[in-house]
Amino acid sequence: MSIRERLSGNEAAATAMKQINPDVVAAFPITPSTEIPQYFSTFVSNGQVDTEFVAVESEHSAMSACIGAESAGARAMTATSANGLSLMWEMIYIASSLRLPIVMSLVNRAVSGPLNIHNDHSDAMGARDAGWIMLFSENNQEAYDNLLMAHRIAEHKDVLLPLMVCQDGFITSHSIENIELLEDDKVKGFVGKYSPEHYLLNNKEPIAVGPLDLQSYLFEHKYQQAEAMRNAKKVILEVSEEFEKLTGRKYSFFEEYKMEDAELVVVCMNSTAGTTKAVVDDLRNKGIKAGLLKIRVFRPFPALEIANALSNAKAIAVLDKADSLNAAGGALSEDVVSGMYINKKNVPVVNYVYGIGGRDTTTKDIESIYSDLQKIADTGNSDNPFRYLGVRIVNSERRN
């Protein structure tokens, strides 16, 4: 029987970590993720877990400690945000290249500069090609559930890649919601014990970790990483199916909200999906065939599945909470458009960059997007495909 609780997103993440009881947690505080290791450290102090908690001097050191722990054969976790992830930059690539299934809570926040502590997705998007599996969470329940599934996915023998669970800073991390927790014994049974095949402290198999890797082999090792990411798609679905049997909560690569006959579709990630669902419900009551595709799995990117899910739409808007500053749209939009093109699904797509630095995105803003989509569906003309939502000063070719 599940346990009903009221927790913030950070408390939910820390609670999941407590129930997992990892061997090592290494962390350095940074807003808005600070509470996760803070709450977890109280569990350590109170004897509720037997985790080795390593308080380090920087986020670079936090990821380094996790790499050392995983290399030695321990299950390791951490949490960070924004500039903290930036300081880990060298080490997040090393973690994935060494095939170490570290799990990290990434509480999304704008990366400096200028300095801003509020939510957008510039931190996650900056790390999108670092070889980490990336799961996104609409609400506190999903942040908790994704963390419970994370080790099963990352530690699978056909994957062995690090994984980050993303949630929106302050919007979910500090907001209290009703949540259903699993009992500790069920979590432990589901997650299982970490038993790596190769590790430094195995005296029966001496190995080297992180040796020089030059022209003769690096290409092949990078190909193996890519294969592992492709393998992760199947594993994610298998773990999600098992999790549904345990909890009744269904997860896949994405959530299709009122997509059965949707003609006007918004694609987005994390907490904005909740706002969009409210707008979809309202538009449906008015007879408008609106729908939402909420991306949960961003890496590996389920291009074929997304293309198929969007194929019957008449107009699509992809929302990016980070600007790639490339004059050609945001990262999510690029992947969606590429996936549709490769899979021969020809539907007009426009991209909206929104919410930068925590700028509020209201139901009125989302309604304006569906209004734009209706015009595109009626005329077949998308005009400028690269747009900004809610920015005050913008040139005449961009929407205000």
Side-chain angles (χ1 to χ4, degrees):
M1 178 130 182
S2 60
I3 304 164
R4 296 281 294 177
E5 256 294 2
R6 291 186 298 272
L7 300 174
S8 70
N10 280 345
E11 288 178 298
T15 300
M17 291 170 66
K18 179 187 74 171
Q19 294 180 309
I20 293 166
N21 191 14
D23 299 306
V24 173
V25 168
F28 186 83
I30 182 168
T31 303
S33 67
T34 299
E35 288 182 333
I36 296 177
Q38 177 185 335
Y39 287 129
F40 189 80
S41 68
T42 64
F43 302 145
V44 176
S45 179
N46 295 339
Q48 294 175 273
V49 295
D50 55 10
T51 302
E52 184 69 31
F53 186 87
V54 186
V56 293
E57 73 278 9
S58 74
E59 290 86 358
H60 186 283
S61 298
M63 185 52 62
S64 298
C66 288
I67 289 170
E70 283 280 351
S71 298
R75 176 180 277 162
M77 303 183 76
T78 188
T80 195
S81 295
N83 302 355
L85 184 67
S86 300
L87 190 54
M88 289 180 179
W89 188 248
E90 173 190 14
M91 306 315 295
I92 62 171
Y93 275 83
I94 289 174
S96 61
S97 68
L98 296 181
R99 309 291 299 279
L100 300 175
I102 298 161
V103 171
M104 172 168 61
S105 284
L106 180 62
V107 183
N108 298 127
R109 165 190 146 184
V111 176
S112 297
L115 177 63
N116 181 291
I117 64 168
H118 294 282
N119 171 248
D120 65 31
H121 297 163
S122 51
D123 50 5
M125 294 303 103
R128 67 186 183 273
D129 296 329
W132 284 61
I133 297 167
M134 302 176 73
L135 306 182
F136 281 75
S137 316
E138 176 187 343
N139 50 41
N140 303 358
Q141 184 72 63
E142 291 188 13
Y144 172 79
D145 290 349
N146 281 337
L147 275 172
L148 296 190
M149 289 182 267
H151 289 286
R152 287 286 305 276
I153 297 165
E155 294 169 3
H156 192 281
K157 64 180 179 62
D158 295 331
V159 179
L160 294 177
L161 290 173
L163 184 153
M164 62 179 73
V165 173
C166 302
Q167 63 167 310
D168 282 344
F170 292 111
I171 299 173
T172 59
S173 67
H174 285 65
S175 297
I176 295 174
E177 297 178 349
N178 291 327
I179 185 171
E180 289 189 3
L181 304 176
L182 287 177
E183 296 88 345
D184 290 354
D185 60 330
K186 289 185 178 179
V187 171
K188 288 180 171 54
F190 177 78
V191 175
K193 186 177 180 181
Y194 182 42
S195 300
E197 183 178 358
H198 307 289
Y199 55 98
L200 283 171
L201 295 184
N202 182 2
N203 59 14
K204 297 179 182 178
E205 184 197 38
I207 62 171
V209 173
L212 187 64
D213 198 2
L214 297 178
Q215 298 94 325
S216 298
Y217 295 105
L218 182 60
F219 198 168
E220 284 70 27
H221 291 153
K222 288 299 176 184
Y223 177 79
Q224 288 173 352
Q225 278 183 262
E227 279 292 287
M229 189 65 77
R230 284 185 277 270
N231 293 342
K233 288 182 63 177
K234 178 184 177 184
V235 174
I236 287 168
L237 293 181
E238 291 173 349
V239 173
S240 297
E241 183 178 355
E242 189 175 337
F243 189 79
E244 183 184 4
K245 292 177 182 177
L246 180 65
T247 66
R249 296 191 286 274
K250 182 177 178 62
Y251 291 98
S252 186
F253 297 135
F254 45 77
E255 177 185 349
E256 298 179 80
Y257 189 75
K258 301 193 175 178
M259 285 289 292
E260 296 83 1
D261 60 344
E263 296 177 351
L264 314 176
V265 180
V266 164
V267 181
C268 67
M269 299 192 291
N270 269 13
S271 63
T272 304
T275 307
T276 305
K277 287 175 181 177
V279 175
V280 168
D281 291 343
D282 183 58
L283 293 177
R284 284 283 177 167
N285 290 335
K286 297 175 181 177
I288 298 172
K289 293 181 178 180
L292 163 71
L293 193 75
K294 182 190 78 180
I295 306 299
R296 171 185 175 239
V297 179
F298 183 60
R299 290 292 183 268
F301 190 74
L304 173 61
E305 294 80 1
I306 288 174
N308 288 337
L310 294 173
S311 61
N312 293 322
K314 292 184 177 179
I316 300 163
V318 183
L319 276 55
D320 272 286
K321 214 169 189 178
D323 195 342
S324 292
L325 303 177
N326 61 359
L332 178 59
S333 175
E334 289 174 348
D335 284 353
V336 170
V337 171
S338 173
M340 295 188 71
Y341 177 81
I342 291 296
N343 291 290
K344 299 179 173 58
K345 308 298 183 182
N346 186 21
V347 182
V349 180
V350 290
N351 178 216
Y352 290 84
V353 172
Y354 78 104
I356 301 300
R359 175 70 57 84
D360 193 22
T361 302
T362 66
T363 54
K364 185 177 179 180
D365 293 323
I366 303 298
E367 286 168 4
S368 74
I369 294 173
Y370 281 105
S371 178
D372 291 349
L373 290 179
Q374 186 65 69
K375 295 174 186 174
I376 294 169
D378 291 342
T379 65
N381 184 5
S382 60
D383 295 321
N384 174 41
F386 310 122
R387 309 181 179 195
Y388 290 87
L389 180 69
V391 67
R392 287 192 295 271
I393 302 174
V394 72
N395 70 45
S396 58
E397 294 181 356
R398 309 291 185 186
R399 78 178 308 278
N400 190 350

